[in-house]
Amino acid sequence: MLKQVAEGVLVHESGFLQSNAVVVRGQAGVLLIDPGIQGAEMACLANDLDVLGQSVVAGFSTHPHWDHLLWDPRLGTAPRYGTARCAASVREQQAVPDWKAREAEELPPEIADDVPLDLLGQISGLPAGATRIPWDGPHVRILEHQAHAPGHAALLIEERRVLVAGDMLSDVLIPMLDLSATDPIEDYLGALRLFEGAADDVDVMVPGHGSIGGSEELRARIDLDRAYVDAVRDGDVVTDPRIGPSAREGWDWVTGVHDWQLQQLSR
Ligand SMILES: [Zn+2]
């Protein structure tokens, strides 16, 4: 079911990891950001768009992780984009001859039957440093940064004052660092400063996973994520509502991700 979060901006929430697909209405159709996870959900989304008399005219993946790169044939054949770095990372992942089989093996077993991998990652990289999505609709500013994954981009739909955060600023997931980067901690802090700089232009924030929030919530999540990253950097005890006994029901595994992340950083 599509839920309107601002004029012409709708969100489709997936059952898997509370993932949010974002639809932005343009002149002749919609921009679809991170379409979703399971085939049945994307079919439902395609159907909802049909009912609205809308077709997809452009797609965008916020970053090169499988759960943000999926597509279903029922969504059509519009051009799909990502940042230049994101597209390069996808090409690298798919340069391995049996990449699709490997990807299939790593899918969470409870949903693996219904994750369509055929069109995974078929995106075109925008020119390096591009700041706008090329499409006929409200201006969408690309806020590219180096945190969480190579070429990660948040999108600011300026006229609608909506920030699509990708895998940043979640209320259920802790900051998940890009451990392949040279300085994942400083990268993450830099990304949070970028969000802080845009916060005055935002009324609604949509994270890739978790709850949608308003402008106060945006600032609160920036502070919470910064406190987490600072504590990890300084080797302090991390107290964060998303891990340990205060983790939300069904999300206790995030504590394991935190422990693993600390281990990796100390190597
Ligand atoms: Zn991710």
Side-chain angles (χ1 to χ4, degrees), residues 63 65 68 148 167:
H63 64 288
H65 287 162
H68 299 261
H148 180 66
D167 274 5

Side-chain angles (χ1 to χ4, degrees), residues 66-87:
W66 69 273
D67 53 330
H68 299 261
L69 292 169
L70 291 159
W71 196 262
D72 187 277
R74 286 163 282 201
L75 295 169
T77 56
R80 296 162 56 194
Y81 305 108
T83 64
R85 279 177 192 243
C86 173

